[in-house]
């Protein structure tokens, strides 16, 4: 039964499967056994509790380096969850997600650093600026074919970086530094473990938001758009409006993540927003299975921790990474953890 | 007054005239069919009615108001729902989610209430689920609610599409070749179902089709077009006896049946 | 020192040369996009690989045929061939298995291929700038007042013109070119009509990659150095040029490339060179707002 189901589900990829049937077998079997394990509710709960316990206890045993890496993983999860709304839920291609967190980071950074605002008060401004940025990028591109969005987001990423490098207010090439860290209940957030917990909490909020979007009329509308734009239109979905709002929600999430990022780093510079960042975020979403929230989080964790683990192989790591990416796409194009539903 | 009036509808693609000054009406509570041989302009007409094409000239009135230049989703909001010739389900979603899409045009909640999950949003969600369940029950696919759409056989996918259409509680149901690809038994079920849509759910049904047998069975009024122009109009009996129709259409019917 | 007229002349020449690079590279984007609807992310890196192949072949030939034009042309031919083969192989092994998969998978694969090319070249060259020491005098040429149009510039313009004309002839007159255009309109039908779709797609990648390689070797000669990261921004702008010209349109890519080169040269003159990357994308966004199909692109008739 289980097996038959798989065959059916793979129907769409038949053409792809042919060439790789032999090599797929082993890989697929491992992943499928993980699925059937995770399908049982109590197994799911056990795994979730263990993971949560692990995540919450990291600061108790980890040194500062590991904590920094763990914090970075949380940060990547925030970005990937934001990007997931655009790419995973709606099926749009965004090649410049780093620009969205740059927008948030600079907005907050400048307001705190140059104008002496309280960080928490900058958040509403970050949201508004994020919305404006989303409308500016999405407005011209969303009405057109999806590839145009890809190139426009890519271009916007470069524009943001160049502008940041050239303006006085963004601190030019060296960026802003020595930004005063914010207070929470009278305590200044100076230690990495504080930031780690704050980011874990933010990830929790983003997950709740993602799940709420997913199980709503809005989120279903996005899924309809992703699956078949014409049919979505026929069912009464205003495709451009839904895409626009998915873009806005994703961008605002990215901007918020950026605002917190700049406060932890106490600095920001144009080099934090390279294309590599954008592509890593996109890949986390795609390899995580396009829309599946836990998958996307796993993808983000992988992409932030991976370079650290493979530091020893140094310059070869991105090469292997590229090769792995191509192989995964050829042999398992629906991502390592694809969206699937069971009873 | 007719529910929908098509006046002098003309649609050009480049230099080709797909629909040429077409006139017809769809009466309220009727089952009306538009038929014609392949390439007669049926699909082009259909896509004009549903807002997917903008006609070159002419007027389409629905409840006295124009549908020309109205985008498809707004047409759906006005109580008109369509199906697709080759079944266009949301492939990777479940049957339930597919049918819930029918409720899209009759519900309102958007981003804000989704993120805040307000009580009214939850009420609306419950209502959407209830309507979807009802629609699946009516079509008889309740058992399949958690199946992935693309894993279903073709005939069943069609049924899902009908459930999705009636979940929107339309006033006017537009069916694009609903019998295409169905076997004899499924076609008979379809005829029964179309009658029930009208009699029990109070929908007006308009279909385009080239399966003459089925149309003769179910339609009360038939409009026949060939090369984009109307060549006959009337009850199935009248149309069947019309020499023009026999010439343009029925003579080829046998070949086409086989082709399907 | 420079009169306004001279500045305009100088920037026109600069812009034209830049436009040649964009045109040659954007052709690969537009042809591939037209035929398989793929934003071939790795194409900019093919240009980079072409530059390196040119660099290495030139280095090997220097002892035999000298460091003048002969070696440059030979290096160019070698780069064209090798990159053509590389493009074909990438298509064969990375893209072909995915032609019927969701478009996003194909795009991600292209990003993966781009990473592979970039990092392989980085390892091979230790991430250093390599200097291309040819013996052609970079300043010699025809002087018009204070402006000199160098021989190098003229040769590059000439090579580009020859390639663009041959490509136009190939696409409009030969059977392969016609098959290419047919596939870009309707791939399944072409398959039914007995056109060997895979072969034609392979040829398309070969030609596109060979043209990018020419641009790569031209960059060696013109700028005098090569670097493993040179393909990224160039590729992006060339794609922008393809969109400006109308993606899928071959004359559009040529026009878009030259136009983008000229506009960028003009914009740099006015705004300063630190803004030059913004300029290209700014034009792109303005273009998408006012003429989304590009200058020579056709509106696609959507079929239901």
């Amino acid at each position: 039964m289980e097996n038959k189901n798989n065959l059916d589900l793979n129907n769409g990829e038949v053409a792809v499967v042919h060439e790789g049937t032999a090599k797929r077998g082993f890989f697929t079997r491992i992943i499928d056994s993980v699925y059937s394990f995770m399908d049982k509710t109590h197994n799911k709960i056990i795994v979730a509790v263990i993971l949560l316990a692990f995540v919450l206890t990291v600061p108790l045993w980890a040194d500062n380096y590991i904590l920094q890496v763990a914090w970075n993983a949380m940060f990547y999860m925030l970005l990937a969850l934001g990007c997931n709304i655009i790419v995973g839920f709606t099926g749009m291609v965004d090649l410049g997600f780093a620009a969205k967190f740059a927008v948030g980071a600079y907005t907050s950074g400048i307001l705190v650093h140059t104008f002496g605002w309280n960080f928490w008060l900058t958040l509403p401004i970050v949201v508004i600026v994020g919305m404006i940025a989303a409308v500016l990028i999405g407005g011209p591109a969303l009405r057109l074919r999806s590839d145009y969005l890809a190139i426009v987001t890519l271009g916007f990423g470069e524009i943001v970086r160049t502008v940041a490098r050239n303006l006085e207010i963004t601190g030019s090439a060296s960026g802003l530094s020595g930004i005063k860290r914010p207070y929470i209940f009278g305590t200044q957030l100076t230690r990495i473990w504080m930031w780690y917990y704050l980011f874990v909490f933010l990830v929790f909020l983003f997950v709740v938001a993602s799940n709420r979007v997913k199980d709503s009329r809005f989120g279903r509308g996005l899924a309809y758009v992703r699956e078949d734009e014409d049919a979505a239109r026929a069912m009464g979905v205003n495709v451009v409006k839904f895409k626009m709002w998915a873009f806005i929600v994703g961008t605002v999430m990215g901007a918020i993540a950026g605002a917190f990022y700049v406060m932890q780093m106490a600095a920001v510079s144009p080099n934090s927003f390279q294309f590599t960042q954008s592509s890593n975020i996109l890949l986390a979403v795609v390899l995580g299975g396009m829309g599946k929230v836990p998958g996307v989080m796993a993808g983000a964790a992988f992409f932030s921790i991976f370079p650290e683990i493979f530091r020893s192989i140094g310059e070869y790591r991105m090469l292997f990474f590229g090769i792995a990416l191509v192989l995964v796409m050829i042999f398992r194009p629906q991502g390592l953890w694809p969206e699937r539903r069971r009873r | 007054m007719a529910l929908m009036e098509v006046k002098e509808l003309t649609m050009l693609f480049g230099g080709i005239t797909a629909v040429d000054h077409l006139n017809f009406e769809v009466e309220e509570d009727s089952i009306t069919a538009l038929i014609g041989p392949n390439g007669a302009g049926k699909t082009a007409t259909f896509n004009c009615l549903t807002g997917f094409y903008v006609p070159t000239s002419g007027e389409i009135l629905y409840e006295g108001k124009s549908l020309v230049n109205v985008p498809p989703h707004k047409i759906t909001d006005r109580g008109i729902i369509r199906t697709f010739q080759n079944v266009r389900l949301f492939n990777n979603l479940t049957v339930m989610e597919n049918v819930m899409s029918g409720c899209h045009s009759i519900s309102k909640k958007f981003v804000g209430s989704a993120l805040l999950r307000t009580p009214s949003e939850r009420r609306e969600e419950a209502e959407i689920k209830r309507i979807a369940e009802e629609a699946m029950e009516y079509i008889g696919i309740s058992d399949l609610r958690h199946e992935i759409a693309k894993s279903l056989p073709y005939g069943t996918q069609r049924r899902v599409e009908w459930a999705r259409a009636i979940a929107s509680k339309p006033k006017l149901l537009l069916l694009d070749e609903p019998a295409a690809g169905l076997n004899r038994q499924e076609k008979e079920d379809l005829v029964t179902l179309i009658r029930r849509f009208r009699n029990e759910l109070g929908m007006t049904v308009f279909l385009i089709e080239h399966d003459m047998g089925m149309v003769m069975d179910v339609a009360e009024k038939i409009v026949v077009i060939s090369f984009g122009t109307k060549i006959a109009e009337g009850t199935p009996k009248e149309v069947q006896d019309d020499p023009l129709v026999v010439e343009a259409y029925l003579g080829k019917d046998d070949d086409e049946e086989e082709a399907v | 020192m420079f009169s306004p007229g001279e500045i305009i002349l100088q920037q026109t020449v600069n812009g034209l040369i830049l436009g040649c690079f964009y045109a040659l590279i954007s052709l690969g984007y537009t042809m591939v996009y037209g035929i398989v609807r793929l934003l071939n992310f790795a194409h900019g890196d093919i240009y980079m690989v072409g530059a390196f192949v040119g660099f290495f072949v030139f280095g090997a030939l220097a002892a035999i045929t000298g460091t003048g034009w002969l070696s440059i042309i030979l290096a160019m031919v070698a780069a064209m061939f090798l990159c053509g083969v590389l493009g074909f192989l990438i298509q064969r092994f990375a893209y072909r298995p995915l032609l019927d998969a969701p478009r996003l998978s194909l795009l991600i694969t292209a990003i993966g291929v781009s990473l592979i090319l970039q990092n392989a070249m980085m390892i091979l060259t230790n991430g250093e700038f390599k200097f291309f020491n040819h013996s052609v005098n970079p300043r010699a040429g025809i002087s018009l007042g204070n402006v000199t149009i160098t021989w190098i510039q003229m040769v590059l313009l000439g090579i580009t013109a020859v390639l663009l004309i041959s490509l136009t002839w190939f696409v409009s007159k030969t059977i392969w070119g016609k098959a290419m255009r047919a596939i870009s309109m309707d791939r399944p039908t072409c398959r039914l009509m007995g056109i060997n779709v895979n072969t034609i797609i392979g040829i398309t990648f070969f030609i596109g990659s060979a043209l990018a390689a020419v641009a790569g070797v031209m960059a060696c000669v013109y700028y005098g150095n090569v670097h493993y990261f040179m393909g990224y921004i160039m590729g992006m702008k060339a794609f922008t040029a393809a969109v400006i010209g109308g993606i899928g349109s071959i004359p559009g890519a040529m026009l878009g490339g030259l136009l983008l080169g000229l506009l960028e040269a003009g914009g740099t003159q006015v705004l300063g060179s630190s803004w030059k990357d913004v300029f290209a994308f700014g034009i792109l966004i303005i273009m998408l707002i006012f003429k989304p199909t590009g200058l020579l692109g056709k509106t696609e008739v959507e079929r239901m």
Side-chain angles (χ1 to χ4, degrees), chain A residues 140-219:
Chain A
L142 286 177
R143 286 162 202 280
L144 310 169
R145 281 202 303 253
S146 55
D147 311 84
Y148 286 147
L149 184 66
I151 191 73
V152 169
T153 48
L154 188 65
F156 192 78
E158 285 306 309
I159 290 179
V160 167
R161 217 151 57 86
T162 314
V163 169
R165 211 170 31 222
N166 285 296
L167 290 185
E168 193 104 2
I169 194 153
T170 52
S172 307
S174 52
L176 307 171
S177 56
I179 298 169
K180 199 173 125 235
R181 291 205 163 109
Y183 291 81
I184 215 170
F185 304 125
T187 316
Q188 193 174 17
L189 298 173
T190 48
R191 312 290 296 277
I192 182 71
W193 64 265
M194 298 174 181
W195 283 101
Y196 176 75
Y197 281 124
L198 178 60
F199 270 62
V200 169
F201 178 68
L202 287 174
V203 169
F204 169 74
L205 288 184
F206 274 32
V207 169
V208 170
S210 298
N211 283 330
R212 285 186 170 184
V213 165
K214 194 181 170 117
D215 293 328
S216 69
R217 175 176 176 271
F218 172 58

Side-chain angles (χ1 to χ4, degrees), chain C:
Chain C
M1 198 169 94
F2 280 93
S3 70
E6 284 168 346
I7 291 173
I8 290 172
L9 179 64
Q10 183 68 64
Q11 291 302 348
T12 306
V13 174
N14 291 351
L16 271 179
I17 296 290
L18 196 55
C20 288
F21 289 112
Y22 291 150
L24 286 172
I25 304 170
S26 70
L27 280 168
Y29 279 111
T30 221
M31 285 162 69
V32 166
Y33 188 90
I35 207 160
V36 289
R37 299 283 181 274
L38 161 70
L39 198 180
N40 183 9
F41 220 83
H43 191 62
D45 298 297
I46 299 266
Y47 154 82
M48 175 273 294
V49 172
F52 274 106
V53 171
F55 169 80
F56 288 122
V57 172
F58 181 84
L61 285 175
I64 313 160
T65 52
T67 52
W69 280 112
L70 179 61
S71 294
I72 291 174
I73 298 295
L74 287 175
M76 205 174 268
V77 172
M80 276 178 86
F81 179 73
L82 288 176
C83 284
V85 171
L86 177 66
F88 176 83
L89 291 177
I90 290 172
Q91 175 274 143
R92 174 65 191 81
F93 292 105
Y95 301 153
R96 192 188 291 176
L98 288 165
L99 280 186
D100 297 312
R103 298 254 302 279
L104 193 56
S105 315
L106 206 53
L107 182 68
I108 300 292
T109 311
I111 295 178
V113 172
S114 164
L115 282 175
I116 294 174
L117 293 178
Q118 250 178 50
N119 287 284
M121 201 49 86
M122 182 191 80
I123 293 163
L124 216 62
T125 60
N126 294 323
E128 293 162 355
F129 276 90
K130 298 280 179 196
F131 295 94
F132 194 85
N133 299 312
H134 57 75
S135 58
V136 179
N137 183 350
R139 308 221 183 282
I142 300 170
S143 293
L144 299 162
N146 286 321
V147 179
T148 305
I149 302 170
T150 65
W151 297 120
I152 292 180
Q153 285 173 329
M154 279 184 275
V155 171
L156 298 190
L157 280 170
I159 292 173
T160 309
V162 168
L163 287 171
L164 297 191
I165 292 166
S166 339
L167 183 75
T168 309
W169 169 82
F170 178 84
V171 173
S172 57
K173 292 289 188 287
T174 65
I175 186 90
W176 296 290
K178 284 176 187 160
M180 242 175 232
R181 284 184 290 151
I183 293 173
S184 71
M185 286 175 209
D186 189 341
R187 195 160 78 214
T189 307
C190 286
R191 206 164 263 156
L192 293 176
M193 300 304 284
I195 297 175
N196 189 337
V197 172
N198 284 336
T199 311
I200 301 294
I201 293 176
I203 293 176
T204 307
F205 272 88
F206 184 94
I207 296 175
S209 305
L211 292 174
V214 173
V217 180
M218 280 169 44
C220 290
V221 179
Y222 192 62
Y223 298 113
N225 62 56
V226 284
H227 186 244
Y228 76 96
F229 207 64
M230 68 193 272
Y232 168 65
I233 196 94
M234 197 65 171
M236 263 181 14
K237 286 198 206 156
F239 186 78
T240 301
V243 172
I244 289 174
I247 188 99
S249 156
I250 288 175
M254 299 175 184
L255 180 67
L258 293 175
L259 205 61
L260 184 63
L262 288 171
L263 287 171
E264 199 178 303
T268 309
Q269 179 67 38
V270 178
L271 295 173
S273 63
S274 56
W275 292 97
K276 75 171 197 258
D277 293 346
V278 171
F279 203 73
F281 296 115
I283 294 171
L284 173 74
I285 288 171
I286 292 168
M287 190 77 202
L288 288 181
I289 295 172
F290 294 107
K291 189 145 182 2
T293 49
L295 293 173
L296 300 182
K298 287 183 223 96
T299 323
E300 259 185 32
V301 181
E302 262 184 81
R303 287 215 250 160
M304 297 286 305

Side-chain angles (χ1 to χ4, degrees), chain A residues 2 15 37-38 40 85 151 156 159 170 199 243 246-247 291 300:
Chain A
E2 205 71 3
F37 178 77
M38 289 298 284
K40 297 184 185 76
I85 306 273
I151 191 73
F156 192 78
I159 290 179
T170 52
F199 270 62
K243 280 183 171 178
F247 204 68

Side-chain angles (χ1 to χ4, degrees), chain B residues 9 35 116 160 164 183 192 197 213 235 239 250:
Chain B
L9 184 72
I35 64 170
L116 299 174
V160 176
R164 181 172 83 177
N183 63 33
T192 321
F197 287 161
T235 63
V239 167
L250 295 180

